[in-house]
Amino acid sequence: MSLDAVNRMLLVNKQMEMSCSAMQDAELLLRERRANSAAGRIYYSVFHAVSALLIYDGIRIKSHKGAYTMFCLHYVNAGKVPQEYGKWYRDLELMREESDYNCFYNVEADELEQKLDSAKEMIETIAKMIKD
């Protein structure tokens, strides 16, 4: 199924709204000292922003791994975004998986603050790419 330009932008905007909402949730959870839950929300804020960018450029994905792979292929490896974005994205996914599935894993608050800042930088860059 291919989207016309209007529906594509509706979907892109919805994904960016979801990204913003997940980031707000992450900040709230972090203030409440619920770091493991905040880790998941930070990851999803980046995932939705990356999904928006891929949709914007007409790149189809079917999974989280597909989003990561296509983001690295079309943006990181192509030099359109800084190289560290690929690493940050992967680190966030691993942290989310650990915090969701490993009952002995606890995210360190200092580490999470750094990840939050990195995620915000990525999302801001993606938002600019979509507007340009």
Side-chain angles (χ1 to χ4, degrees), residues 1-16 48 51-61 75 130:
M1 170 181 82
S2 69
L3 297 171
D4 60 36
V6 171
N7 285 318
R8 178 177 289 144
M9 284 312 296
L10 286 171
L11 189 53
V12 166
N13 289 332
K14 186 62 178 169
Q15 288 286 344
M16 289 305 292
H48 287 298
S51 296
L53 180 60
L54 293 168
I55 293 165
Y56 178 79
D57 284 335
I59 301 167
R60 297 184 72 163
I61 56 168
Y75 303 98
I130 290 170

Side-chain angles (χ1 to χ4, degrees), residues 101-126:
Y101 302 114
N102 182 346
C103 61
F104 295 106
Y105 180 79
N106 287 306
V107 179
E108 296 293 326
D110 291 343
E111 177 187 9
L112 198 57
E113 288 284 347
Q114 180 185 9
K115 303 270 189 222
L116 182 75
D117 291 340
S118 300
K120 286 181 178 180
E121 180 182 321
M122 285 182 68
I123 293 166
E124 185 177 311
T125 298
I126 289 169

Side-chain angles (χ1 to χ4, degrees), residues 72-131:
C72 288
L73 178 67
H74 292 281
Y75 303 98
V76 176
N77 297 346
K80 295 179 181 178
V81 298
Q83 285 285 316
E84 59 263 19
Y85 285 15
K87 180 183 181 332
W88 291 351
Y89 189 9
R90 182 68 182 139
D91 288 349
L92 285 170
E93 183 175 31
L94 293 172
M95 187 172 56
R96 182 205 55 92
E97 289 173 355
E98 283 293 316
S99 65
D100 280 352
Y101 302 114
N102 182 346
C103 61
F104 295 106
Y105 180 79
N106 287 306
V107 179
E108 296 293 326
D110 291 343
E111 177 187 9
L112 198 57
E113 288 284 347
Q114 180 185 9
K115 303 270 189 222
L116 182 75
D117 291 340
S118 300
K120 286 181 178 180
E121 180 182 321
M122 285 182 68
I123 293 166
E124 185 177 311
T125 298
I126 289 169
K128 287 178 184 174
M129 293 171 76
I130 290 170
K131 288 182 181 176

Side-chain angles (χ1 to χ4, degrees), residues 15 42-52 61 63-64 67 89:
Q15 288 286 344
I42 294 170
Y43 165 76
Y44 278 105
S45 70
V46 170
F47 170 76
H48 287 298
V50 166
S51 296
I61 56 168
S63 66
H64 288 260
Y89 189 9

